[in-house]
Amino acid sequence: MNGRYYILSVLILWANLLLAQSASFTASVSSTQVAAGEQFQVDFTLNGNGERFQPPNFNGFQVLSGPNVSQSMTSINGNTSVSMGYSFILAAVKEGDYTIGPATIYVNGHILGTRPLKIHVVKGSPQQARRMRQQQQAIDQVPAADLSKAVFLRASVSKTKAYIGEQLNVTYRLYTRVGILQNQYDKLPELNGFWSQDLNEHKQPTAAVWRTEILNGTRYNVADIKETIVFPERSGDLTIDPFAMTLVVRVPAPAHDIMEEFFGNSFKDEKVKLKSPPIIVHVKDLPAAGKPVDFSGAVGTFTLSADLDKKALKANESLNYNVKITGVGNIMLVKNPTVGFPPDFEKYDPKVTDTLSKEGGKIHGSKLYNYLLIPRHEGNYTIDPIKFTYFNPATERYVTLTSKAFPVAVAKGDRQTNVSALATDKQDVKLLDKDIRYIKTSDFGLTEQGENFFGSVGYYLLLLLGPVLFVAAFYYRKWLQRHNSDIVKVKSRKASKIARKHLANAQAQLATKNKSGFYEALFKGIYGYLSDKLNIPYANLDKETIAEALRKRSVNETLITRLQDNLDLCDMARFAPVTGISEQEVFEKTKNTINDIEDEL
Amino acid sequence: MNYKRVIYLFLVIAMPLVTFGKGDVKALFDQGNQLYQKANYKGALAAYQQVLSSGYQSAALYFNMGNASFKTDDIPSAIWYYEKAHKLSPGDDDINFNIRFANLKTADRIDEAPEFFLTKWWHNFILMFSLSTLSVLSIAFILLGFLLLTGYLFTSSVTLKKASFYTSMGLFVLGLITILMGNRQAAYFDSHKQAIIFSGSVTVKSTPATAAKTLFLLHAGTKVDVMETNAGHVKIKLANGSEGWISAGDVKEI
């Protein structure tokens, strides 16, 4: 008893831990169907620490042993769990249906009870009653007909209602109460409509971790044969395919003779085909509300990070841009994020590195996108922030993550690379000359800026110069024509000119001492002048008509007389020598007379 | 080339508008040329720049500046200067050649939308001579025409009369054509605003806003037509007909 108190006192120290867990108190029976007289075991297990265990009243059974108290304490990863067990070995007395009532125990002042157990007692044989349980994983004495109850496969899924892309865990479990000799997986589930990833797969069920589990009051040896993580890929009712395996189990066989019966060693190896029942999972579409257009299909919880290896570089150098999406969920199904690179960057498809782990029954992982970029031209660019949206099935909300924007300063690249890059684009480079044409060294066209001669005032003035000149010339000609249209007037206007010509001729004759020529010229000068001036034909000219015409124009009488004297003198001098007056004097006199008449008229 | 000399001589004599006293500027220009010859392109560019900042310009000046920029590997500037020179002297073969050559160094290759052949001819026609040449030619034609017509008024010889009349009419036609050419050329350059892209890479947007959708990309040195300006953005049109908006800071108007 001392030991028991010691253990209890230790357990009290752990009380706070134990309080955190809810205690469970279960009852189990090694077999729900027993033969009369057969021994069987009833276990009451408390998952925690309790006191004042009160066994039920085993009416209709004979208690062969018990209560056998056992305690265990396990510590896994710092979590300590305590369990207490009370077991009884009973023997059925009479056939019929019996119920073992609840056992009770106090845990922290609360009373806990077990479920009642139903036991069906059939008519038994004394051999069976005698038989003792050999081991924990005992092969039960079940009839072959009941084999399906003794060994079966079950599939369980963590959730039967899920969103597309939400993680589900499917576990295929083998329940057995019989010994397994051989096993073989027949058909692995195909899991159509799911993306699946095996979490644990045991080639042999025997390699799995076995544990005991009570199902409907019956203790089974249970192993998780296969655990799979699945992600539904489409909506609707999807079926999780059954899992099938073939086992060879050892079952008790009916005795053929008395000897066999006596030794009780009659077993039979039987082949059993097992198949788990299919499970229907209802898959919902992701809600449309708040769903971004570029939704990548990520469901779970994620984080996003991005970085750029350089902030400044030269054109044609390379740049690495890394985007990392980390999280729990369907990371392997996430589509590449759309990255807003400056359109002028040469970009290549990203190198994607996936890292997945399946720890704790969930897919953790990261996707690393490595983009190689080559800016081809100088300038200041910005790599736009990346937006990554995922659906969180726990909150049923879309979450959008945004990375930072990165400025990139691209300096002018090296010329060589630049040119070669261009040369590949442009095929006709080689067809042309190799260099630009030389500068112009003579320049006579330097003008002031902003000045355009064409259309300026000076331009129009110069343009108008022509017409103005022409109009002036035109009117001058008109005037000239009008001026010359009256012949008499023209003649009279020209008279003095002609006279002057004759006088000049006379002067020339005088210089050559040709007297007759001189007087002839003088005479012609006067007569010509008068003929033109007075508009009298040359032939009609005589002294009287001249005088009359002059008088008509009211010329001074003395001047007329002077003219007549002068005419006589010239007339005479042509034929006879003149004395008393020199030729020069005659010339002067004639000239004066003509001038005077010109003045008078 | 000789007629040009005559024309410029005429310009100098006839027009007080032509600036005199530009000896310093001429010296600077020559200095720039010497530096260029010694392959000191940056120095040459600086000298030319001084000429420009003292208020003078010429097709040759812009052409040389374009060459110096080209040699210093500044293609957008080179094209810009060449285009400036082209505007002053549209028919110059050297200028047009260097424009084409410099355009080979740019990143964008824009296939020109085929122009209606008459339009093309027309543009080639009105851009045959520079505006200053055209203005001088038009004045010369018209003045000569009227002089001959005046001669027609005063001569008495029938042959001379006939000859001077028809020649003057011919000169008038030529004069009117040159005036028309000058007028159209001025209007062409006036309405045809062009610009060169100076930023290394420019995204052309669908609306005049920075957040707008990207239509296509342009690179430094590409010539674009400027359609309109709005809120710090300019609407541009490419030779292939594509249109879009870019930030006004990315281009420099010719």
Side-chain angles (χ1 to χ4, degrees):
Chain A
M1 283 306 266
N2 269 341
R4 219 173 135 184
Y5 280 118
Y6 172 70
I7 292 163
L8 274 172
S9 59
V10 168
L11 291 176
I12 287 159
L13 289 173
W14 292 94
N16 57 334
L17 266 172
L18 299 168
L19 276 171
Q21 300 169 334
S22 61
S24 72
F25 191 37
T26 55
S28 70
V29 68
S30 58
S31 174
T32 52
Q33 186 173 318
V34 291
E38 188 193 346
Q39 287 181 10
F40 66 97
Q41 187 174 342
V42 174
D43 292 312
F44 300 97
T45 311
L46 175 66
N47 199 0
N49 193 25
E51 56 189 348
R52 283 189 275 157
F53 171 71
Q54 186 68 50
N57 197 353
F58 298 111
N59 279 335
F61 298 101
Q62 185 187 354
V63 178
L64 300 177
S65 137
N68 305 313
V69 182
S70 66
Q71 273 190 320
S72 68
M73 186 165 82
T74 50
S75 182
I76 299 162
N77 295 335
N79 288 327
T80 310
S81 61
V82 177
S83 64
M84 297 175 83
Y86 303 89
S87 67
F88 295 87
I89 307 272
L90 304 178
V93 181
K94 227 176 111 189
E95 56 209 76
D97 287 328
Y98 297 88
T99 304
I100 298 173
T104 56
I105 197 160
Y106 282 87
V107 178
N108 300 322
H110 296 282
I111 192 164
L112 288 178
T114 60
R115 282 199 299 161
L117 300 169
K118 282 197 166 83
I119 310 282
H120 181 59
V121 183
V122 294
K123 198 181 171 195
S125 59
Q127 285 80 11
Q128 280 175 329
R130 256 187 276 123
R131 187 170 300 136
M132 295 293 288
R133 183 174 294 274
Q134 297 297 311
Q135 49 176 331
Q136 181 68 21
Q137 287 183 19
I139 295 155
D140 247 357
Q141 294 83 4
V142 271
D146 289 333
L147 206 58
S148 66
K149 276 195 177 169
V151 55
F152 54 89
L153 274 171
R154 271 199 174 182
S156 73
V157 66
S158 57
K159 264 179 160 185
T160 51
K161 278 182 182 167
Y163 283 106
I164 289 179
E166 190 177 349
Q167 184 187 327
L168 298 174
N169 286 30
V170 178
T171 313
Y172 294 99
R173 221 165 261 171
L174 177 64
Y175 288 76
T176 182
R177 281 166 51 215
V178 294
I180 296 165
L181 299 177
Q182 270 180 43
N183 66 78
Q184 182 195 330
Y185 295 151
D186 288 352
K187 195 176 127 222
L188 293 172
E190 278 176 11
L191 294 169
N192 283 325
F194 295 95
W195 184 91
S196 63
Q197 170 94 38
D198 284 336
L199 199 58
N200 282 312
E201 192 182 351
H202 301 290
K203 287 274 174 281
Q204 301 292 322
T206 43
V209 181
W210 288 90
R211 63 180 189 276
T212 58
E213 197 176 288
I214 294 148
L215 193 73
N216 296 327
T218 311
R219 182 179 292 268
Y220 285 95
N221 289 314
V222 180
D224 289 343
I225 293 173
K226 185 177 168 77
E227 275 187 272
T228 307
I229 292 170
V230 296
F231 295 92
E233 287 179 320
R234 55 172 195 259
S235 61
D237 288 351
L238 300 182
T239 309
I240 291 180
D241 291 340
F243 182 77
M245 65 190 291
T246 306
L247 300 175
V248 175
V249 294
R250 174 156 291 181
V251 291
H256 294 298
D257 54 46
I258 199 97
M259 281 304 282
E260 254 182 14
E261 246 178 51
F262 178 76
F263 289 107
N265 279 339
S266 80
F267 288 103
K268 191 175 79 173
D269 293 343
E270 198 154 308
K271 203 173 181 181
V272 199
K273 278 191 181 291
L274 297 179
K275 200 174 181 188
S276 71
I279 299 180
I280 305 280
V281 179
H282 305 284
V283 182
K284 292 179 277 184
D285 267 320
L286 294 176
K291 188 177 185 174
V293 184
D294 56 344
F295 181 63
S296 62
V299 178
T301 49
F302 299 94
T303 56
L304 173 74
S305 68
D307 70 90
L308 191 66
D309 63 345
K310 284 175 220 162
K311 290 257 183 329
L313 75 166
K314 281 182 173 181
N316 300 317
E317 287 179 353
S318 65
L319 196 62
N320 280 294
Y321 184 63
N322 291 315
V323 179
K324 193 174 186 183
I325 297 170
T326 317
V328 180
N330 59 348
I331 184 99
M332 60 286 143
L333 299 178
V334 170
K335 285 185 272 185
N336 291 2
T338 47
V339 187
F341 293 121
D344 204 23
F345 277 28
E346 206 167 298
K347 45 197 168 279
Y348 298 92
D349 285 340
K351 196 176 86 185
V352 187
T353 317
D354 286 341
T355 320
L356 287 182
S357 76
K358 297 175 281 189
E359 265 171 51
K362 291 205 170 217
I363 297 268
H364 300 262
S366 64
K367 270 199 159 186
L368 178 70
Y369 299 93
N370 176 252
Y371 292 90
L372 178 68
L373 306 171
I374 301 175
R376 287 294 185 203
H377 300 278
E378 71 271 20
N380 287 316
Y381 300 92
T382 308
I383 294 178
D384 292 340
I386 301 172
K387 281 196 172 150
F388 172 74
T389 302
Y390 66 86
F391 180 74
N392 189 339
T395 59
E396 306 200 331
R397 289 272 151 79
Y398 289 100
V399 182
T400 301
L401 304 172
T402 310
S403 71
K404 281 194 294 175
F406 293 96
V408 189
V410 181
K412 209 166 182 184
D414 295 328
R415 195 182 179 185
Q416 252 58 38
T417 47
N418 214 343
V419 167
S420 70
L422 293 177
T424 51
D425 290 349
K426 297 192 175 184
Q427 293 298 311
D428 45 358
V429 172
K430 50 184 172 288
L431 302 175
L432 282 146
D433 301 32
K434 287 279 185 274
D435 200 5
I436 48 169
R437 298 219 176 140
Y438 193 63
I439 52 165
K440 293 177 188 290
T441 46
S442 64
D443 184 55
F444 28 79
L446 275 175
T447 53
E448 273 185 45
Q449 287 160 15
E451 154 200 303
N452 228 341
F453 177 57
F454 186 88
S456 68
V457 181
Y459 174 76
Y460 285 119
L461 284 179
L462 277 170
L463 213 56
L464 274 175
L465 198 67
V468 166
L469 272 177
F470 176 73
V471 168
F474 182 76
Y475 279 105
Y476 172 68
R477 200 188 73 135
K478 224 176 172 183
W479 174 82
L480 214 60
Q481 272 176 347
R482 212 176 48 229
H483 205 63
N484 296 348
S485 58
D486 189 351
I487 295 162
V488 180
K489 269 189 181 167
V490 171
K491 264 190 178 171
S492 113
R493 208 166 49 237
K494 280 183 179 166
S496 61
K497 223 187 207 171
I498 291 164
R500 216 170 294 136
K501 219 163 111 191
H502 285 292
L503 286 178
N505 188 26
Q507 208 169 16
Q509 301 290 346
L510 188 66
T512 55
K513 306 277 182 204
N514 183 357
K515 274 188 188 169
S516 65
F518 168 71
Y519 285 110
E520 175 105 26
L522 271 188
F523 185 80
K524 268 188 183 167
I526 296 170
Y527 266 76
Y529 171 71
L530 288 171
S531 159
D532 282 350
K533 205 73 191 174
L534 301 174
N535 195 26
I536 301 162
Y538 202 79
N540 296 349
L541 273 180
D542 55 45
K543 274 199 280 189
E544 279 70 38
T545 40
I546 290 169
E548 212 164 307
L550 286 174
R551 260 181 221 114
K552 226 185 262 173
R553 289 163 202 239
S554 61
V555 175
N556 201 340
E557 203 55 44
T558 47
L559 189 59
I560 296 169
T561 326
R562 227 173 79 201
L563 177 72
Q564 280 177 333
D565 291 348
N566 210 328
L567 283 171
D568 290 341
L569 184 67
C570 284
D571 219 0
M572 243 165 47
R574 280 186 350 194
F575 310 107
V578 182
T579 48
I581 188 161
S582 72
E583 280 87 11
Q584 189 58 45
E585 275 171 335
V586 176
F587 178 73
E588 289 298 330
K589 215 176 165 180
T590 314
K591 203 174 149 188
N592 287 339
T593 312
I594 291 173
N595 279 348
D596 287 347
I597 292 168
E598 186 74 26
D599 285 347
E600 285 281 326
L601 286 172
Chain B
M1 277 295 128
N2 225 351
Y3 79 98
K4 254 192 172 171
R5 255 175 221 284
V6 176
I7 286 160
Y8 282 118
L9 207 68
F10 177 78
L11 262 175
V12 168
I13 295 161
M15 270 161 291
L17 289 155
V18 177
T19 40
F20 295 99
K22 48 187 181 187
D24 295 348
V25 176
K26 189 88 179 76
L28 267 174
F29 181 77
D30 289 336
Q31 189 200 333
N33 286 353
Q34 277 161 23
L35 287 169
Y36 185 95
Q37 258 157 357
K38 287 174 196 151
N40 181 357
Y41 302 117
K42 284 215 167 103
L45 198 59
Y48 294 139
Q49 198 67 55
Q50 276 190 344
V51 178
L52 208 58
S53 53
S54 58
Y56 292 93
Q57 64 173 17
S58 77
L61 178 70
Y62 281 126
F63 177 76
N64 291 3
M65 289 179 92
N67 272 11
S69 297
F70 186 91
K71 291 288 187 189
T72 52
D73 212 25
D74 185 0
I75 304 300
S77 295
I79 292 174
W80 191 81
Y81 285 126
Y82 287 148
E83 290 289 349
K84 277 291 235 191
H86 173 72
K87 222 169 157 175
L88 287 180
S89 180
D92 193 303
D93 197 33
D94 289 342
I95 295 170
N96 292 339
F97 175 86
N98 280 10
I99 286 177
R100 264 181 288 133
F101 194 82
N103 271 318
L104 294 175
K105 302 273 181 189
T106 61
D108 297 320
R109 182 201 228 165
I110 294 152
D111 295 320
E112 283 191 28
E115 223 175 352
F116 184 50
F117 73 102
L118 279 179
T119 322
K120 204 172 175 181
W121 286 355
W122 173 246
H123 283 158
N124 283 345
F125 175 64
I126 61 169
L127 297 179
M128 199 152 45
F129 301 107
S130 75
L131 203 55
S132 50
T133 311
L134 282 175
S135 41
V136 171
L137 277 176
S138 61
I139 288 172
F141 283 140
I142 297 291
L143 213 57
L144 215 65
F146 276 109
L147 282 176
L148 277 175
L149 210 61
T150 315
Y152 155 80
L153 283 182
F154 287 98
T155 185
S156 50
S157 150
V158 178
T159 338
L160 268 181
K161 249 185 176 350
K162 266 189 177 169
S164 57
F165 180 79
Y166 287 118
T167 316
S168 71
M169 285 302 131
L171 284 170
F172 284 145
V173 170
L174 283 176
L176 287 175
I177 288 172
T178 46
I179 289 172
L180 183 74
M181 279 170 81
N183 181 280
R184 288 297 90 206
Q185 193 186 110
Y188 175 78
F189 281 129
D190 231 32
S191 66
H192 211 70
K193 285 212 175 77
Q194 292 187 309
I196 301 295
I197 296 206
F198 267 71
S199 302
S201 160
V202 178
T203 48
V204 184
K205 310 275 186 179
S206 57
T207 56
T210 324
K213 266 194 177 162
T214 301
L215 295 178
F216 50 93
L217 264 183
L218 288 180
H219 299 101
T222 303
K223 186 167 80 168
V224 294
D225 287 357
V226 178
M227 312 289 285
E228 57 181 296
T229 312
N230 184 348
H233 286 75
V234 286
K235 190 181 186 184
I236 55 140
K237 189 178 180 177
L238 296 185
N240 63 11
S242 326
E243 289 183 1
W245 292 85
I246 58 172
S247 172
D250 292 331
V251 285
K252 195 169 167 191
E253 211 168 285
I254 298 162

